Amino acid sequence: VGVWLDVGSRYENEKNNGVGNFVEHLVFKGTKKRPGTAFEKEVESMGAHLNSYTSREKTAFFMKALSKDLPKVVEILADAVQNCSLEDSQIEKERNVILQEMKEIDGSLSDVVFDYLHATAYQGTALGQTVEGTTKNVKTLSRASLVEYIETHFKAPRMVLAAAGGVSHKELVDLAQQHFGNVPYQYKEDAVPVLPRCRFTGSEIRVRDDALPLAHVAVAVEGPGWANSDNIPLLVANSVIGRYDLTFGGGKNQSSKLAALSVEHKLCHSFQTFNTCYSDTGLFGFYFVSDKMNIEDTMHVAQGEWMRMCTSVTESDVKRAKNILRSTFVSLLDGTTPVCETIGSHVLNYGRRISLAEWDARISEVDARTVREVCSKYLYDKCPAVAAVGPIEQLPDYNRVRSAMYWLRF
């Protein structure tokens, strides 16, 4: 069972960036009715798991428990989300926890690269900020700013209560009315927070550090928002390009052309494609890790694959990619927690839950021509955003990267 909220670091500004992540840390640290230790004891005595996360546009609090405990679980979640105590002692304690977490994130270079990618692609807008916020903000955020954030954003129209597993819909609805019936849905002075459009800027961030063993590079163009029908052809294109890791068996007999070339020419240690969606924009691109002497070749081959998607991708490629994509969608529903996650995020993103059958029908409609047209729309002759960390002396100049976004053909 979980509560999904349509709020994240995109709703913050420079002064309070990180407040959403801070609130998420404090929600399970005790409520007015259940002080810290009592809250933890109650959850543990049920044998339940508590978890939560904050992203750029979503916040989620969820619990995994036995189905007979459903009424208790909904009551605890409702209490935590509505009556979080935000004690000063807990706030001070969490500051250090968050700072420690930020240190750990700095050690994970893939996270660092994606934060840099957002910072450059959405520079000057709220999407450019990290979810954790700045160290300065974490050290200075006051209880008042946390309370203000909760009062502004934790509103009924932006909440979804979702459950999966052994639960009946009617029971959940009755419990929601009982425990979430008092969640306010009016805003102060009727000021509903409207998201400003986050513009995409083709640009780059390079953090050269020759002491690191490997270079981490991410390249992305602006993609569509959640509800856009172009997402499926783009996901099919990503499946054609595929992914690769040094640990994969199969040598150069990989189905992905880029993977086969990587093995044959020992290009990169790993690469993956991504399509990160937000409500009105997205990042569509690839990320690779390579040693310092193979960056240029990997970029050349990867951008060549992008151009192939726009100009000459074949039906057999697309057919294979569609099957890979179908199995990816099915594997996302492996267990009650992912199913619950799917329901919560779908209702926030699309206003309803999209069934597997509908995804399958949408995937079936895609053919090579659709992939070529949609890729041309988003990739061909567009300015990419580039973020790179590590020994990246060999990364081509931005103008070179930009000029590989089209082909001169005669």
Side-chain angles (χ1 to χ4, degrees):
V1 183
V3 179
W4 270 259
L5 289 138
D6 187 15
V7 57
S9 64
R10 188 174 174 179
Y11 290 85
E12 299 164 2
N13 54 40
E14 279 173 35
K15 289 190 184 68
N16 72 351
N17 179 207
V19 65
N21 184 50
F22 212 126
V23 166
E24 175 237 314
H25 271 253
L26 288 164
V27 163
F28 289 148
K29 292 288 180 280
T31 65
K32 286 158 193 164
K33 194 165 90 179
R34 303 175 168 89
T37 46
F39 185 88
E40 284 169 15
K41 267 187 188 154
E42 190 165 345
V43 173
E44 282 188 9
S45 63
M46 288 159 58
H49 291 282
L50 271 180
N51 213 335
S52 60
Y53 67 83
T54 315
S55 64
R56 283 178 166 81
E57 284 188 341
K58 304 264 177 303
T59 304
F61 306 101
F62 47 99
M63 274 177 89
K64 199 169 182 170
L66 297 170
S67 48
K68 66 176 172 47
D69 291 327
L70 180 70
K72 190 83 169 286
V73 169
V74 175
E75 198 254 328
I76 288 177
L77 278 173
D79 192 27
V81 172
Q82 293 172 71
N83 309 311
C84 173
S85 57
L86 301 177
E87 292 166 19
D88 289 330
S89 59
Q90 288 285 8
I91 291 175
E92 294 312 315
K93 199 165 140 195
E94 283 308 302
R95 276 193 218 284
N96 294 329
V97 173
I98 293 171
L99 289 169
Q100 186 59 39
E101 261 183 23
M102 288 163 82
K103 264 190 193 154
E104 283 169 22
I105 288 170
D106 281 350
S108 159
L109 288 177
S110 61
D111 291 341
V112 172
V113 167
F114 278 99
D115 277 344
Y116 276 135
L117 186 66
H118 281 84
T120 190
Y122 296 113
Q123 54 189 282
T125 69
L127 270 179
Q129 303 172 148
T130 61
V131 175
E132 292 77 29
T134 59
T135 318
K136 179 173 171 253
N137 283 1
V138 173
K139 286 177 177 167
T140 55
L141 278 171
S142 64
R143 183 175 191 275
S145 50
L146 299 175
V147 171
E148 182 195 7
Y149 180 84
I150 290 178
E151 284 178 354
T152 311
H153 297 296
F154 284 31
K155 302 286 185 190
R158 292 163 68 181
M159 275 187 194
V160 174
L161 178 68
V167 290
S168 80
H169 182 72
K170 186 182 179 307
E171 188 184 3
L172 190 68
V173 172
D174 293 344
L175 288 165
Q177 273 174 345
Q178 186 183 339
H179 298 300
F180 284 92
N182 299 327
V183 178
Y185 58 88
Q186 289 165 326
Y187 291 88
K188 272 185 194 164
E189 301 138 15
D190 279 346
V192 180
V194 178
L195 276 180
R197 171 105 174 89
C198 286
R199 64 169 192 282
F200 178 94
T201 310
S203 54
E204 66 171 357
I205 284 185
R206 292 168 184 249
V207 182
R208 182 175 167 186
D209 181 351
D210 289 348
L212 292 171
L214 297 170
H216 295 250
V217 184
V219 184
V221 291
E222 180 169 25
W226 279 114
N228 195 315
S229 60
D230 290 340
N231 269 317
I232 294 292
L234 286 177
L235 287 171
V236 171
N238 269 349
S239 295
V240 175
I241 297 170
R243 48 189 277 274
Y244 168 70
D245 192 292
L246 269 181
T247 58
F248 283 14
K252 59 185 180 188
N253 304 313
Q254 309 277 344
S255 58
S256 150
K257 187 179 169 191
L258 189 47
L261 286 167
S262 294
V263 176
E264 198 173 340
H265 303 292
K266 297 188 170 58
L267 290 181
C268 57
H269 286 233
S270 68
F271 75 81
Q272 65 189 61
T273 49
F274 59 87
N275 183 27
T276 309
C277 290
Y278 297 105
S279 55
D280 54 357
T281 177
L283 292 174
F284 174 78
F286 60 85
Y287 160 76
F288 67 88
V289 180
S290 86
D291 59 42
K292 62 184 178 186
M293 301 310 285
N294 288 317
I295 303 172
E296 191 173 4
D297 289 346
T298 308
M299 278 296 281
H300 174 77
V301 177
Q303 286 189 284
E305 275 295 274
W306 265 3
M307 292 302 97
R308 187 169 76 94
M309 292 304 112
C310 299
T311 57
S312 47
V313 66
T314 63
E315 287 295 351
S316 60
D317 283 333
V318 171
K319 187 180 176 188
R320 189 191 76 245
K322 280 157 61 172
N323 289 334
I324 294 171
L325 191 56
R326 286 188 182 103
S327 62
T328 310
F329 271 114
V330 174
S331 64
L332 287 177
L333 302 176
D334 183 21
T336 51
T337 310
V339 170
C340 195
E341 161 82 41
T342 308
I343 299 171
S345 50
H346 275 198
V347 174
L348 287 180
N349 297 334
Y350 312 112
R352 64 196 177 90
R353 184 184 180 191
I354 297 179
S355 66
L356 266 181
E358 188 175 333
W359 285 127
D360 186 49
R362 287 189 190 184
I363 293 170
S364 300
E365 283 169 8
V366 176
D367 57 12
R369 185 164 160 237
T370 324
V371 173
R372 289 195 293 268
E373 283 172 2
V374 173
C375 285
S376 297
K377 176 176 165 187
Y378 289 97
L379 288 170
Y380 204 81
D381 204 15
K382 294 283 185 281
C383 295
V386 182
V389 175
I392 50 170
E393 183 181 7
Q394 207 196 54
L395 182 68
D397 174 74
Y398 184 78
N399 292 312
R400 284 262 324 265
V401 176
R402 174 67 183 85
S403 67
M405 297 298 288
Y406 57 86
W407 275 352
L408 294 173
R409 291 175 297 163
F410 300 101

